[in-house]
């Protein structure tokens, strides 16, 4: 294996259909119109020296190193800023050009420290390369005059340094921050010799607007902006292309290695989800993989209050098998079940559901999608026929109106947010429907046309009211509806939404959003060109989550915004493989490929393959498993890569259920909160330690490639196989590729997927089969997967969770950029520098009423429980609404959330909890008890196994 080096073409690719032919250094070259001479040369393999150009950003033309001669033209134009023209004759290597380039380089080098041999970028520095390329042999100007050397380094960012003494002021970093990331954190201050790069107004990186995405580090041609890991470990010597294991964007990275040590993660330009961009998590927050708290040996214990005892793999797996078998003999075969992980690979998830269905003999399998996007599956399947988003991410580049509902992409899906922001800067209009004023509403060079700050829990009313405006104002795309949708259902729906009950004026009363805003937003979405909807957990995690998804689906059908680039209904899925976990049959009622367990044909097919008779009855969902555990009928659980104690709602109920079980098996990286209730701990592997695939939010199947050996000795899929065999259900696969081959054989939308195919084309979006061998970027192009699109009546039913005198505020929850969900990984990285605790955002008005000042510790109380945390006074939330994250176990925000859930899928209502806030002087009783239990439960008997 060698280092993967991607070619830098100098300027971005052009997409014009018109082609232009020119001659460069005697070679005839044809490229799309608008291409720069530099790119045309590079594409033909003719290298032009350059410093200020790189192909992720527009050309700037400042360094004058890329000069060329064009026949018939005076002077020496910069090839990066000069577009090709038909018949042009270009020379890139003449004596005159060589002289000029040497002169330019001489000036740069005369103001640059000549410490190449000890510089961290030695061997990976474009300045060094260019000096060699132009044949610079001597520098006539000494260092005696005024120069920039000796300037102080900025080491404030935990992941990269800024050494201005090495800066050549090419402004690649500034432009990357603006054009690629869209944060505008950097500027060039001063003029001429005085000009210098500065975060904000002469701030340190850490204090500036910088969100540590790394785009500037990536763009910097010198060692000025360098990863600290490169300085600490040295230059990498080989790399492996793999996929980020954090969010549903599914960014591709080159894991650059020295031996088995990861040196840095570099976003991969050919990655079809990210096109070479990244966020702070994927780029930098991988240190958890080698964190000292990782558990690397299997452990068992009799009671959850005993210390853990390290044992061999055989003993641990033997214990799991004997306990699960004992429980089934004593309490019946349905007394055990399991939870698959949206963090693990498709192959691992497939095996866990197989183990449960075929090995346990029941359908008691569920996944964390239950608590996030199960309403998406239900809603989109009902309306369109497929449980997934309709577009690829590239589609946003063709959107004219972007409607973001209940999602905060700049924090939750940052790389996609950067692309969305780029499109918005190009002129697309934005509608944000969210109780909170998220960053998107107003950020540098972006302002939402409309922000509808609705009361939490009123999505369905607002969305139906938007439909009311579309129908009553004659904005329906009648041709689309006539051709593509069920007409009876449409007529019923149109009559339903047109009723006065859903007029903007009536809905203003319910939602708090002015009728004017609802009307204008509806008109813009319906008439503004390509309308694309992106939504998140702010839609699904409600008692009407599925209804909300169907209300969105109705809007897109009514306006004809489906079946082409730039439109569609796009769930922004949270976790790296939540789409895949659903596809792989993680739900109690569905076999892989979303086929119901009651379907005799599918069941017979899987039964024949696995050599068992499968149960035709759906199994227990996660909340029902806890209910059954509390009732004493459910006694054992296998949990792979999921911290349900921290992530599931109503923690008191969850922990009661957990504590009531006789054998809880947790397979994870760390002793997480769920492990506090476990009897067997099986050490899992990180994404760096295994092979497999993840499926992102756009249905894209990406390869995960092993870059280092599993630190615990077994990869997660191997552990599941061992459990199955120990329980007497034979399972045998030698490599995850074989598991994927079986998935492809058994699942119609995956028949064309194989590791060989993925290695060849990079990634594919399912369905990938005979009909669409290269996958399907945009769905429902000629017709819906279910045939005709189905409009659904979306009656607004207010949640039972109501504010009142005792609980007058509404709590809604979300996440922030630097931490990830339960935080088990990101809390064990330097990302904690950016955020070290959950905070409660409260409006100044509500804070003042309660005597709360910024930073005060407050008690947050709901009908379900109480916790305490510090307050942050903020106008991002409206009066009457408070907001917090759930990244830190010390806070346990889910002690507060209730067990109300979506009527169709049981997805919990995380986004609406009636609460009270009061000043507090310390942790609540629950927090203290929990901490005590945690401390007790995490003890490991010293080296018991040795
Ligand atoms: S790390 Fe990203 S946000 Fe920060 S300055 Fe660089 S490009 Fe801008
Ligand atoms: S920090 Fe790097 S990218 Fe930015 S201006 Fe200086 S040399 Fe160029
Ligand atoms: S956007 Fe998501 S997938 Fe991409 S680097 Fe960040 S966390 Fe990873
Ligand atoms: S690379 Fe063209 S002017 Fe710098």
């Amino acid at each position: 294996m060698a280092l993967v080096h991607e070619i830098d073409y100098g300027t971005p690719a052009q997409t014009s259909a018109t082609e232009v032919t020119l001659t460069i250094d005697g070679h005839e070259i044809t490229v799309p119109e608008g291409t720069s001479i530099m790119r045309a040369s590079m594409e033909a393999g003719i290298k032009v020296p350059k410093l200020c150009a790189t192909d992720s950003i527009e050309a700037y033309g400042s360094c004058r190193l890329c000069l060329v001669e064009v026949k018939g033209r005076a002077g020496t134009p910069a090839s990066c800023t000069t577009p090709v023209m038909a018949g042009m004759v270009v020379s890139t290597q003449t004596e005159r050009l060589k002289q000029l380039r040497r002169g330019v380089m001489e000036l740069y080098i005369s103001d640059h420290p000549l410490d190449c041999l000890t510089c961290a970028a030695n061997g990976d520095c474009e300045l060094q390369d260019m000096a060699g390329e132009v044949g610079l042999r001597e520098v006539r100007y000494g260092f005696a005059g005024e120069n920039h050397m000796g300037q102080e380094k900025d080491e404030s960012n935990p992941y990269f340094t800024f050494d201005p003494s090495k800066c050549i002021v090419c402004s690649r970093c500034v432009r990357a921050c603006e054009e690629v990331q869209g944060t505008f954190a950097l500027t060039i201050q001063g003029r001429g010799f005085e000009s210098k790069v500065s975060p904000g107004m002469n701030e340190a990186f850490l204090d500036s607007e910088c969100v540590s995405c790394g785009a500037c580090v990536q763009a910097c041609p010198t060692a000025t902006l360098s990863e600290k890991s490169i300085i600490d470990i040295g230059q990498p010597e080989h790399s492996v292309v793999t996929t980020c294991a954090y969010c549903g964007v599914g960014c591709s990275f080159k894991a650059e290695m020295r031996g088995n040590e990861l040196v840095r993660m570099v976003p991969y330009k050919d990655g079809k989800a990210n096109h070479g961009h990244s966020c702070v998590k994927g780029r930098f927050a991988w240190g958890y993989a080698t964190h000292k708290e990782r558990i690397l040996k299997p452990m068992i214990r009799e009671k959850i209050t005993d210390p853990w005892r390290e044992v061999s793999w055989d003993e641990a797996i033997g214990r799991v098998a004997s306990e699960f078998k004992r429980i089934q003999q004593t309490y019946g075969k349905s007394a055990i079940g399991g939870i698959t992980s949206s963090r693990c690979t498709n192959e691992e998830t497939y095996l866990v559901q197989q183990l449960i269905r075929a090995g346990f003999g029941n359908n008691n399998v569920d996944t964390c999608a239950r608590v996030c996007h199960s309403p998406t599956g239900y809603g989109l399947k009902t309306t369109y026929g497929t449980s997934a988003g309709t577009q690829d991410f590239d589609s946003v580049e063709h959107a004219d109106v972007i409607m973001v509902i209940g999602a905060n992409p700049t924090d939750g899906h940052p790389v996609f947010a950067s692309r969305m922001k780029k499109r918005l800067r190009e002129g697309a209009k934005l509608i944000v429907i969210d109780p909170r004023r998220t960053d998107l509403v107003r950020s540098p060079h972006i302002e939402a046309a409309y922000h509808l700050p609705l009361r939490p829990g009123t999505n369905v009313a607002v969305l139906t009211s938007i439909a009311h405006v579309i129908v009553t104002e004659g904005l329906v795309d009648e041709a689309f509806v006539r051709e593509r949708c069920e007409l009876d259902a449409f007529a019923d729906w149109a009559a339903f939404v047109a009723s006065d009950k859903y007029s903007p004026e009536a809905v203003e009363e319910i939602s708090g959003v002015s009728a004017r805003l609802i009307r204008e937003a509806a008109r813009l979405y319906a008439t503004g060109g390509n309308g694309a909807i992106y939504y998140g957990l702010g839609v699904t995690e409600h008692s009407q989550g599925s209804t909300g998804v169907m209300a969105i689906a109705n809007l897109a059908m009514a306006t004809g915004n489906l079946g082409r680039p730039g439109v569609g209904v796009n769930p922004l899925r949270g976790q790296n493989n939540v789409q895949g976990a659903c596809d792989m049959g993680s739900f109690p009622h569905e076999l892989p490929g979303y086929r119901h367990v009651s379907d005799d044909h599918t069941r017979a097919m899987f039964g024949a393959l696995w050599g068992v008779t499968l149960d035709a009855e759906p199994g227990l969902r996660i909340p029902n498993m806890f209910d059954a555990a509390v009732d004493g009928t459910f006694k054992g659980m296998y949990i792979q890569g999921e911290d349900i104690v921290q992530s599931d709602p109503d923690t008191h109920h969850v922990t009661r259920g957990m504590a009531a079980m006789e054998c809880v098996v947790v397979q994870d990286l760390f002793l997480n909160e769920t492990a506090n209730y476990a009897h067997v701990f099986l050490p899992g592997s990180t994404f760096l330690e295994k092979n497999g695939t993840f499926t992102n939010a756009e249905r894209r199947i990406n390869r995960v490639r092993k870059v280092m050996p599993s630190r615990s000795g077994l990869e997660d899929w191997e552990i599941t196989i061992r459990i199955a065999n120990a329980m007497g259900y034979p399972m045998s696969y030698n490599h995850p590729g074989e598991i994927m081959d079986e998935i492809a054989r058994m699942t119609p939308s995956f028949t064309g997927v194989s590791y060989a195919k993925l290695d060849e084309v990079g990634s594919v979006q399912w369905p990938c089969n005979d009909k669409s061998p290269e996958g399907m970027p945009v769905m429902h192009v000629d017709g819906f997967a279910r045939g005709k699109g189905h409009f659904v009546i979306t009656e607004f039913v207010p949640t039972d969770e109501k504010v009142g005198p005792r609980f007058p505020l509404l709590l809604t929850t979300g996440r922030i950029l630097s931490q990830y969900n339960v935080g088990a990984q990101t809390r064990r990285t330097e990302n904690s520098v950016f955020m070290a605790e959950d905070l409660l955002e409260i409006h100044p008005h509500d804070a003042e009423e309660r005597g709360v000042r910024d930073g005060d510790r407050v008690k947050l109380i709901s009908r379900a429980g109480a916790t305490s945390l510090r307050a942050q006074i903020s106008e991002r939330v409206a009066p009457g609404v408070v907001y917090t994250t759930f990244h830190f176990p010390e806070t346990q925000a889910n002690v507060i959330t209730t067990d109300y859930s979506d009527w169709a899928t049981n997805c919990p209502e995380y986004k609406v909890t009636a609460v009270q806030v009061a000043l507090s002087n310390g942790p609540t009783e629950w927090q203290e008890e929990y901490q005590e239990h945690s401390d007790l439960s995490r003890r490991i008997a010293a080296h018991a196994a040795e």
Side-chain angles (χ1 to χ4, degrees):
M1 265 178 304
L3 267 181
V4 175
H5 274 297
E6 297 143 290
I7 299 169
D8 182 351
Y9 294 95
T11 62
Q14 299 300 313
T15 50
S16 168
T18 314
E19 299 212 310
V20 170
T21 300
L22 72 162
T23 307
I24 303 180
D25 293 348
H27 302 275
E28 202 163 271
I29 296 163
T30 303
V31 288
E33 192 174 44
T35 303
S36 67
I37 294 178
M38 173 177 281
R39 183 157 187 127
S41 305
M42 299 287 209
E43 283 184 7
I46 301 166
K47 244 176 136 184
V48 183
K50 65 178 187 60
L51 273 175
C52 69
T54 185
D55 59 12
S56 59
I57 49 181
E58 295 301 327
Y60 187 59
S62 70
C63 75
R64 309 289 300 157
L65 200 62
C66 68
L67 310 177
V68 290
E69 288 178 14
V70 179
K71 198 171 169 191
R73 273 202 207 174
T76 49
S79 63
C80 62
T81 48
T82 311
V84 293
M85 285 176 66
M88 228 177 200
V89 178
V90 178
S91 301
T92 70
Q93 311 291 339
T94 66
E95 208 36 57
R96 176 178 168 218
L97 292 172
K98 281 182 192 159
Q99 291 286 348
L100 287 168
R101 287 176 188 151
R102 264 188 226 129
V104 170
M105 279 310 295
E106 207 177 345
L107 282 171
Y108 276 121
I109 299 295
S110 68
D111 191 8
H112 196 85
L114 295 179
D115 60 353
C116 290
L117 285 183
T118 52
C119 176
N122 189 15
D124 184 28
C125 169
E126 291 182 41
L127 192 68
Q128 198 179 40
D129 294 348
M130 289 308 128
E133 218 159 280
V134 305
L136 187 68
R137 294 286 171 266
E138 55 166 346
V139 176
R140 286 165 292 168
Y141 321 110
F143 294 115
E146 217 182 343
N147 61 43
H148 295 89
M149 283 172 273
Q151 293 190 36
E152 221 176 294
K153 276 190 190 174
D154 174 356
E155 310 233 40
S156 61
N157 187 286
Y159 296 116
F160 57 84
T161 59
F162 174 56
D163 179 355
S165 71
K166 295 188 168 163
C167 181
I168 58 170
V169 202
C170 64
S171 111
R172 273 164 62 160
C173 53
V174 178
R175 289 176 288 138
C177 189
E178 292 175 5
E179 291 176 33
V180 180
Q181 166 56 24
T183 292
F184 294 78
L186 302 177
T187 50
I188 300 275
Q189 295 208 337
R191 300 172 74 96
F193 182 81
E194 298 298 325
S195 54
K196 61 168 193 173
V197 171
S198 164
M201 298 302 286
N202 276 324
E203 287 162 296
F205 265 88
L206 193 63
D207 303 328
S208 72
E209 294 293 308
C210 167
V211 293
S212 299
C213 71
C216 55
V217 181
Q218 176 90 343
C220 182
T222 66
T224 314
L225 285 160
S226 281
E227 296 91 346
K228 287 184 176 170
S229 59
I230 288 275
I231 298 169
D232 291 345
I233 308 171
Q235 287 291 329
E237 31 80 3
H238 73 273
S239 58
V240 181
V241 175
T242 189
T243 306
C244 176
Y246 278 116
C247 87
V249 178
C251 296
S252 298
F253 280 89
K254 290 183 292 181
E256 295 195 342
M257 311 290 296
R258 260 181 104 84
N260 283 332
E261 189 171 16
L262 180 57
V263 179
R264 65 178 170 186
M265 293 288 275
V266 178
Y268 187 47
K269 277 206 301 195
D270 283 345
K272 292 180 182 152
N274 59 321
H275 301 292
H277 190 34
S278 64
C279 84
V280 58
K281 294 189 289 286
R283 178 77 151 99
F284 296 118
W286 36 265
Y288 67 87
T290 49
H291 193 278
K292 62 180 186 331
E293 284 170 12
R294 245 190 93 180
I295 303 294
L296 301 172
K297 291 199 173 142
M299 302 191 295
I300 59 175
R301 60 183 171 184
E302 309 306 318
K303 299 197 301 291
I304 58 172
T305 45
D306 290 345
W308 286 104
R309 196 159 55 80
E310 289 177 351
V311 295
S312 65
W313 276 108
D314 283 345
E315 189 175 346
I317 301 273
R319 172 68 69 93
V320 175
S322 63
E323 276 298 279
F324 280 172
K325 283 200 286 192
R326 178 190 64 77
I327 290 172
Q328 287 194 303
Q329 272 154 17
T330 317
Y331 304 99
K333 92 178 166 182
S334 299
I336 61 172
I339 296 180
T340 70
S341 172
S342 295
R343 315 306 316 280
C344 287
T345 62
N346 284 318
E347 294 75 0
E348 288 160 350
T349 306
Y350 179 86
L351 287 196
V352 173
Q353 63 87 36
Q354 181 186 344
L355 166 70
I356 291 163
R357 296 186 203 282
F360 294 3
N362 63 47
N363 288 316
N364 292 335
V365 56
D366 209 351
T367 187
C368 68
R370 168 74 49 223
V371 298
C372 65
H373 267 288
S374 48
T376 287
Y378 180 89
L380 295 185
K381 182 138 194 189
T382 307
T383 47
Y384 302 160
T386 309
S387 301
T390 64
Q391 312 294 118
D392 59 357
F393 289 143
D394 290 352
S395 166
V396 78
E397 287 168 15
H398 305 274
D400 301 307
V401 179
I402 298 172
M403 193 190 277
V404 179
I405 314 172
N408 185 8
T410 49
D411 285 60
H413 302 82
V415 164
F416 175 67
S418 291
R419 297 187 67 188
M420 184 187 271
K421 290 205 285 187
K422 189 167 188 193
R423 183 65 189 154
L424 293 168
R425 289 197 303 276
E426 286 166 359
K429 299 274 188 302
L430 174 67
I431 300 166
V432 175
I433 304 182
D434 202 294
R436 228 172 133 242
R437 193 164 45 73
T438 55
D439 279 344
L440 265 189
V441 174
R442 191 160 193 200
S443 59
H445 302 272
I446 286 171
E447 175 137 32
Y450 302 107
H451 172 213
L452 280 55
L454 77 184
R455 214 165 272 144
T458 60
N459 285 328
V460 170
V462 171
L463 292 166
T464 308
S465 188
I466 290 176
H468 173 97
V469 177
I470 289 169
V471 168
T472 56
E473 297 193 5
L475 306 178
V476 170
D477 183 339
E478 288 184 0
F480 182 92
V481 171
R482 226 178 4 256
E483 194 190 324
R484 303 280 305 268
C485 305
E486 288 171 353
L487 294 183
D488 288 350
F490 169 73
D492 293 346
W493 172 80
F496 158 74
V497 300
S499 86
D500 287 346
K501 196 169 153 194
Y502 290 106
S503 72
E505 290 68 25
V507 168
E508 177 173 338
E509 296 288 307
I510 301 167
S511 67
V513 180
S514 84
R516 179 190 63 81
L517 277 177
I518 296 176
R519 263 186 213 289
E520 291 182 8
R523 289 173 190 149
L524 176 61
Y525 172 68
T527 63
N530 281 341
I533 299 180
Y534 294 86
Y535 71 91
L537 303 182
V539 168
T540 54
E541 289 177 343
H542 286 279
S543 58
Q544 281 204 288
S546 293
T547 320
V549 172
M550 293 188 288
I552 289 171
N554 291 337
L555 286 182
M557 281 192 289
T559 52
N561 275 313
L562 284 161
R564 61 181 189 276
V567 297
V569 173
N570 305 277
L572 291 172
R573 291 189 169 246
Q575 310 218 48
N576 54 330
N577 199 36
V578 66
Q579 178 70 54
C582 299
D583 301 342
M584 291 301 109
S586 292
F587 288 129
H589 65 292
E590 277 171 345
L591 284 154
Y594 302 97
R595 287 162 294 175
H596 205 276
V597 289
S598 62
D599 176 55
D600 293 340
H601 171 71
T602 312
R603 224 176 44 255
M605 207 173 64
F606 277 102
L609 176 77
W610 296 339
V612 291
T613 303
L614 293 170
D615 194 344
E617 281 298 311
L620 296 174
R621 297 170 172 186
I622 292 174
N624 308 125
M625 291 186 204
F626 295 133
D627 294 345
V630 171
D631 291 349
T633 56
F634 189 78
K635 295 286 187 182
M637 208 182 216
Y638 172 38
I639 306 165
Q640 186 181 75
E642 181 70 32
D643 193 359
I644 45 178
V645 167
Q646 199 182 337
S647 64
D648 282 43
D650 197 357
T651 312
H652 290 303
H653 185 60
V654 173
T655 51
R656 263 199 304 278
M658 295 294 294
M661 282 188 261
E662 293 179 7
C663 182
V664 172
V665 180
V666 166
Q667 183 172 321
D668 220 299
L669 303 175
F670 300 100
L671 280 175
N672 58 17
E673 306 314 303
T674 308
N676 291 343
Y677 295 86
H679 305 86
V680 180
F681 187 91
L682 303 173
S685 296
T686 68
F687 75 113
L688 298 167
E689 298 159 42
K690 57 194 178 190
N691 283 298
T693 53
F694 293 150
T695 307
N696 76 354
E698 41 161 18
R699 299 170 275 106
R700 184 179 299 287
I701 306 161
N702 265 316
R703 273 287 270 122
V704 177
R705 294 187 178 85
K706 184 168 175 168
V707 304
M708 58 176 71
S710 162
R711 296 186 66 217
S712 65
L714 285 183
E715 297 172 33
D716 293 279
W717 59 278
E718 293 173 309
I719 299 172
T720 308
I721 289 175
R722 286 228 195 166
I723 294 174
N725 287 327
M727 287 188 72
Y729 168 69
M731 220 190 237
S732 148
Y733 302 90
N734 299 306
H735 188 273
E738 288 178 15
I739 306 170
M740 179 51 83
D741 291 343
E742 178 173 318
I743 295 166
R745 270 200 316 279
M746 301 299 286
T747 317
S749 50
F750 275 68
T751 48
V753 182
S754 67
Y755 282 16
K757 172 105 192 173
L758 296 174
D759 288 344
E760 184 195 326
V761 300
S763 61
V764 289
Q765 288 173 270
W766 66 255
C768 173
N769 47 28
D770 288 346
K771 272 201 213 150
S772 46
E774 300 307 314
M776 196 180 278
V778 175
M779 295 192 95
H780 316 302
V781 173
D782 299 316
F784 286 100
R786 71 185 295 283
K788 296 278 185 189
H790 179 63
F791 281 88
V792 175
I793 302 284
T794 54
E795 189 77 73
F796 170 62
V797 181
T799 168
D800 287 336
E801 179 69 359
K802 304 251 188 312
V803 290
R806 275 180 67 213
F807 302 109
L809 303 170
L810 281 178
L811 169 75
T812 186
T813 58
R815 62 185 209 221
I816 65 147
L817 171 68
S818 56
Q819 295 292 346
Y820 188 79
N821 281 6
V822 295
Q825 289 147 299
T826 43
R827 280 187 280 112
R828 292 180 173 96
T829 69
E830 296 288 331
N831 275 26
S832 292
V833 168
F834 306 117
M835 190 225 197
E837 60 184 324
D838 291 317
L839 296 170
L840 184 78
E841 279 184 15
I842 182 166
H843 189 273
H845 172 78
D846 294 324
E848 197 188 326
E849 254 185 12
R850 291 163 177 77
V852 172
R853 286 162 310 170
D854 200 54
D856 278 350
R857 183 170 269 277
V858 292
K859 192 168 176 183
L860 180 65
I861 317 143
S862 74
R863 290 178 184 92
T867 189
S868 77
L869 68 176
R870 286 194 309 119
Q872 183 176 51
I873 297 181
S874 165
E875 290 192 3
R876 276 172 174 268
V877 284
V881 177
V882 289
Y883 167 87
T884 190
T885 49
F886 48 89
H887 303 307
F888 292 85
E890 297 77 26
T891 318
Q892 288 274 3
N894 282 324
V895 170
I896 304 299
T897 50
T898 65
D899 61 0
Y900 289 124
S901 63
D902 175 42
W903 61 271
T905 65
N906 262 168
C907 180
E909 190 166 50
Y910 286 118
K911 302 295 180 188
V912 194
T913 311
V915 293
Q916 179 57 293
V917 173
L919 278 169
S920 128
N921 46 15
T924 60
E925 211 173 296
W926 155 262
Q927 281 170 305
E928 276 171 355
E929 271 171 25
Y930 186 83
Q931 192 55 48
E932 207 174 301
H933 171 62
S934 238
D935 293 344
L936 190 67
S937 160
R938 288 208 167 112
R939 290 168 304 147
I940 301 175
H943 307 294
E946 282 161 21

